[in-house]
Amino acid sequence: EEVALRGDESRCARLVRSSMKFSGPCRLNMAARGALSNLRLVAQNNRSPVAPGFVQLRIRSVGLNFRDVLNVMGLYPGDPGPPGADCAGTVLELGDRVDTLRVAEDIFGESPGC
């Protein structure tokens, strides 16, 4: 654990639950580069049918790494795509030919733009 000492005060980082309220499917949207505050959750009203070999996930957490921060800030050279590829979630639906996962199984991996 890291602690910052400033005068008579000590401070340490703490994770807290987001105050954003949403229900139903949503996605992380970056309307414009330049600031982390440009990231927004937006409703995802229409979902495509699950293609063969793919699964539908309920994403429970998304990891933003340093590349994502540079991307959102507009400092990454080129276009690295949407932020937030690392994710963890629960399998909701299986496409045809998927036999290594089960519905309701918790998984983690990469899903660009999740």
Side-chain angles (χ1 to χ4, degrees), residues 14 25 33 37 59-60 66 80 88 92 99-100 102 107:
R14 297 278 187 245
R33 287 182 168 84
S37 59
I59 303 297
R60 297 186 181 271
F66 188 63
L92 294 179
D99 55 7
T100 57
R102 297 182 317 270
I107 64 166

Side-chain angles (χ1 to χ4, degrees), residues 2-3 5 14 23 25 46 58 72 84 92 94 102:
E2 293 182 12
V3 177
L5 301 174
R14 297 278 187 245
S23 69
N46 299 322
R58 176 178 183 219
V72 171
L92 294 179
L94 301 173
R102 297 182 317 270

Side-chain angles (χ1 to χ4, degrees), residues 1-85:
E1 186 172 326
E2 293 182 12
V3 177
L5 301 174
R6 295 211 172 109
D8 294 337
E9 293 183 26
S10 63
R11 298 176 184 211
C12 59
R14 297 278 187 245
L15 291 176
V16 296
R17 188 167 295 277
S18 173
S19 61
M20 288 193 232
K21 302 293 182 204
F22 61 92
S23 69
C26 60
R27 64 181 175 81
L28 189 61
N29 187 54
M30 178 177 60
R33 287 182 168 84
L36 293 174
S37 59
N38 290 339
L39 291 174
R40 295 277 188 265
L41 284 177
V42 295
Q44 189 177 14
N45 298 322
N46 299 322
R47 291 194 226 173
S48 302
V50 179
F54 288 82
V55 299
Q56 184 178 77
L57 302 175
R58 176 178 183 219
I59 303 297
R60 297 186 181 271
S61 63
V62 175
L64 296 177
N65 60 35
F66 188 63
R67 179 193 64 102
D68 294 317
V69 172
L70 290 177
N71 178 12
V72 171
M73 297 299 293
L75 301 173
Y76 194 88
D79 183 8

Side-chain angles (χ1 to χ4, degrees), residues 67 80-87 109-114:
R67 179 193 64 102
D86 305 325
C87 64
E110 289 190 359
S111 179
C114 59

